[in-house]
Amino acid sequence: PETVETVKQLHLLAPTLSIGFDGGINARNIIRMARTGVKRLNMGSGIFENPSPREALQRFQRRLRSIPRTRSQKRKIAIH
């Protein structure tokens, strides 16, 4: 939770900055992190600790596409 607030504050201070986040991204928090202003999500265990990494990645991508974007969120969020 502290990290989410830090990312939100950073996005408010520098809205054009391409913020990335590495570590701890999973199905429970991917939407919350995406809404903070993060543009890049570096996911390892969230994908590769699943029985089917490809299906896990596709599931995360669908969840991200389901988020309504505001005018300030012109670019897509990338998963790395």
Side-chain angles (χ1 to χ4, degrees):
E2 309 83 44
T3 305
V4 171
E5 289 306 313
T6 301
V7 172
K8 284 181 183 178
Q9 292 299 315
L10 181 57
H11 182 66
L12 289 173
L13 291 171
T16 60
L17 184 66
S18 182
I19 302 168
F21 193 84
D22 186 10
I25 305 296
N26 57 48
R28 292 185 309 274
N29 64 16
I30 191 168
I31 300 295
R32 183 175 57 218
M33 288 306 298
R35 287 183 174 154
T36 64
V38 168
K39 299 293 183 211
R40 291 181 171 81
L41 298 171
N42 297 317
M43 300 175 69
S45 61
I47 293 172
F48 294 107
E49 287 183 0
N50 281 280
S52 174
R54 178 176 290 179
E55 288 178 17
L57 176 59
Q58 291 170 343
R59 205 169 34 249
F60 286 128
Q61 290 171 327
R62 281 192 304 273
R63 292 195 69 161
L64 290 174
R65 283 193 301 268
S66 73
I67 303 170
R69 289 194 302 223
T70 65
R71 287 185 182 183
S72 65
Q73 296 171 320
K74 292 177 184 173
R75 293 192 302 160
K76 291 183 180 180
I77 298 169
I79 296 176
H80 300 275

